[in-house]
Amino acid sequence: MLLHLPPGFDPARPAPLVILLHGSGGTGAAMLRDSNLAEAADKHGFIVAAPDAGIPHDQGFVWNIPGVPTVAGTIPGPDAPDDVKFIGALIDQLAKAGCADPARVYATGLSGGGRMTSWLGCVAADRFAAIAPVVGLRAGNPLASDPTHPDPATCRPSRPLPVIAFAGDADTTNPIQGGGAKYWSYTMHAAEMRWATLNGCTAAPTTRWVAPKVYEERYTGCRDGADVAGRITVGGGHSWVVDNDALWAFLSQHRR
């Protein structure tokens, strides 16, 4: 695991922590490099932890999302490393050491790391103040009887959780229009709507341009201020299509 501390970090003052999760077959080191999140951390004063997943694959690793096949096509067995437990222990360790403020812990990740970030929101919402999946927003597994919808039984967060997701509309690996691998299936819009339902959002969703070629779909009027936002880059592909300052602006509004 790589840990990036911002300049001037004071061990006597616990800082916000962003857990950065790599894509399938990747590594934490490559994810930290490719996301440029260390530069944003230096600018805004948060810690980045970039761990490796528990299951080796090719030259890197894949995350264990129970019941969901990895990119190798196999479902992790009962003896596979428990990545939810591992990430929880990582948070505990950094909080106990006085580095991280446990009320300001966030998760983000790319592709398979975005799906893992979504899964953490489903099963460990009490550990995070907000999440930000990138080209990988999910709200549980696809429904067996109708894969165009998420299965409500597979994502039951313990509390409302703010979500901002990033994607490109030209992504052919995890298409925002749905399809792709079996664990993808339903649309990004369906995932947003499910999170809005889970968070008790009551206002009609809005769509606005936030930057050239970037529009945002947002659900507000949510319990505990847990907005759901999806930012889509027109022409963007399967990559880190993120304005890191906008990412941090959203995450930093929230405390657990």
Side-chain angles (χ1 to χ4, degrees), residues 1-25:
M1 183 198 73
L2 285 183
L3 191 66
H4 179 85
L5 301 175
F9 171 72
D10 181 357
R13 298 182 61 192
L17 170 65
V18 175
I19 308 281
L20 175 63
L21 305 179
H22 61 74
S24 299

Side-chain angles (χ1 to χ4, degrees), residues 159-208:
R159 55 181 283 273
L161 186 67
V163 178
I164 186 168
F166 297 84
D169 69 359
D171 184 344
T172 56
T173 303
N174 289 350
I176 66 169
Q177 305 86 357
K182 286 184 178 179
Y183 51 70
W184 188 245
S185 299
Y186 56 85
T187 66
M188 179 177 175
H189 190 61
E192 289 172 18
M193 288 193 295
R194 181 60 191 154
W195 276 108
T197 298
L198 288 166
N199 289 352
C201 305
T202 56
T206 59
T207 303
R208 66 187 179 104

Side-chain angles (χ1 to χ4, degrees), residues 53-56 62-68 70 74-86 116:
I55 302 172
V62 292
W63 301 101
N64 178 5
I65 302 174
V68 178
T70 69
T74 55
I75 295 175
D79 297 329
D82 185 335
D83 284 323
V84 174
K85 194 172 182 180
F86 162 62
M116 186 66 198

Side-chain angles (χ1 to χ4, degrees), residues 8 28 30 41-42 52 59 76 94 115 121 155-156 178 197 208 210 220 226 247 250:
D42 291 349
D52 291 339
Q59 303 300 309
L94 292 173
R115 288 190 290 114
C155 186
R156 293 179 169 173
T197 298
R208 66 187 179 104
V210 294
T220 57
L247 171 88
F250 181 94

